């Protein structure tokens, strides 16, 4: 009898010990900080400027796809110190805007291919829209010594957006691969769609179990486009959520 009583006590002790150990590890895992990435996605940034760029491009004989790609590349999709608030300078434009500027360190070519770090004044804008409008003004009006300096980017002078990005290489940026980088951004995010007017727009409701891939296939559009149109930060959807679907 004493043997069974001792065995029972041993089993109980082992169970309690096991429970305490598992609780320790569960608590340890729960206490680990959960890292949440709150940085806007590239698609979310594109969605915030796409319609502004499309209208400015349409009204000024420019490729909206090129405008957006430059903004993505030059501002690190709105995440660089110059491109983010409160500076909102999406195109790295120097000088001042309505007497507002910010001084930052930048790299300059001394004319012999040597890069040095210098302090320079950059334009500070109240919004992304103001930055895009000012960029378009530069494209249309050129520089002080040549009003037609950027005429090569006009739709009427460039048969395709690739012609426009090629022209910008060496004129807007000294990077010999500037056009290739812009073209890659345009292709990856399907930005050429913004070079055309909106033909149709509809709003759909996400059903239980729906995914971006399923919705994109059903409406013959791309996942990246849906994310742009709705400024989505991730691929996660919720039942009942409404999404805008465009046709260009």
């Amino acid at each position: 009898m004493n043997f069974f009583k001792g065995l029972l006590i041993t089993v109980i002790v082992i169970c309690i010990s096991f429970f305490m150990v598992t609780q320790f590890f569960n608590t340890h895992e729960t206490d680990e900080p959960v890292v949440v990435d709150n940085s806007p996605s590239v698609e979310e940034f594109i969605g915030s400027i796409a319609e502004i760029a499309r209208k400015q491009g349409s009204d000024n004989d420019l490729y909206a796809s090129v405008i957006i790609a430059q903004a993505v590349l030059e501002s690190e999709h709105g995440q660089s110190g110059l491109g983010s608030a409160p500076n909102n300078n999406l195109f790295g434009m120097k000088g001042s805007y309505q007497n507002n500027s910010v001084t930052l360190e930048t790299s300059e070519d001394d004319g012999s291919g040597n890069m040095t770090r210098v302090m320079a004044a950059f334009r500070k804008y109240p919004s992304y829209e103001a930055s895009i409008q000012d960029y378009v003004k530069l494209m249309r009006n050129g520089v002080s010594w040549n009003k037609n300096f950027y005429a090569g980017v006009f739709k009427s002078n460039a048969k395709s957006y690739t012609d426009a990005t090629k022209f910008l290489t060496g004129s807007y940026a000294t990077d010999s691969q500037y056009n290739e980088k812009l073209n890659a951004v345009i292709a990856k995010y399907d930005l050429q769609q913004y070079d055309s007017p909106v033909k149709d727009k509809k709003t759909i409701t996400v059903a239980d179990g729906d995914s971006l891939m399923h919705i994109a296939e059903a409406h013959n559009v791309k996942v990246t486009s849906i994310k742009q149109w709705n400024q989505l930060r991730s691929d996660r959807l919720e039942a009942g959520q409404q999404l805008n679907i465009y046709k260009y």
Side-chain angles (χ1 to χ4, degrees), residues 13 19 24 34 40 45 47 52 62 65 127 137 148 165-166 185 211 222 227 244:
V13 170
F19 175 78
F24 169 80
V34 178
F45 170 73
I52 299 171
L62 297 171
S65 57
S127 64
K137 183 178 179 181
N148 295 313
T165 58
K166 185 176 181 180
V185 172
S211 67
K222 296 183 178 180
K227 293 179 71 174
N244 292 321

Side-chain angles (χ1 to χ4, degrees), residues 13-29:
V13 170
I14 292 174
C15 290
I16 292 175
S17 299
F18 179 79
F19 175 78
M20 292 178 67
V21 170
T22 55
Q23 285 298 103
F24 169 80
F25 283 107
N26 287 337
T27 302
H28 180 68
E29 292 178 359

Side-chain angles (χ1 to χ4, degrees), residues 12 14-15 26 34 37 53 55 60 64 69 78 92 101 111 129 144 147-148 151 156 180-181 188 190 197 210 215 245:
I12 293 174
I14 292 174
C15 290
N26 287 337
V34 178
D37 185 3
K55 187 176 188 313
N60 293 281
S101 65
E129 184 171 11
S144 59
K147 300 298 182 183
N148 295 313
S156 53
E180 295 177 15
K181 293 175 181 178
K188 181 176 182 178
D190 196 28
D210 263 346
I215 294 173
I245 303 294

Side-chain angles (χ1 to χ4, degrees), residues 94 106-111 113-120 122:
K94 293 181 178 178
T106 185
S107 295
E108 292 286 355
D109 191 323
D110 65 2
N114 300 312
M115 303 301 292
T116 57
R117 301 295 291 178
V118 298
M119 301 303 290
F122 292 87

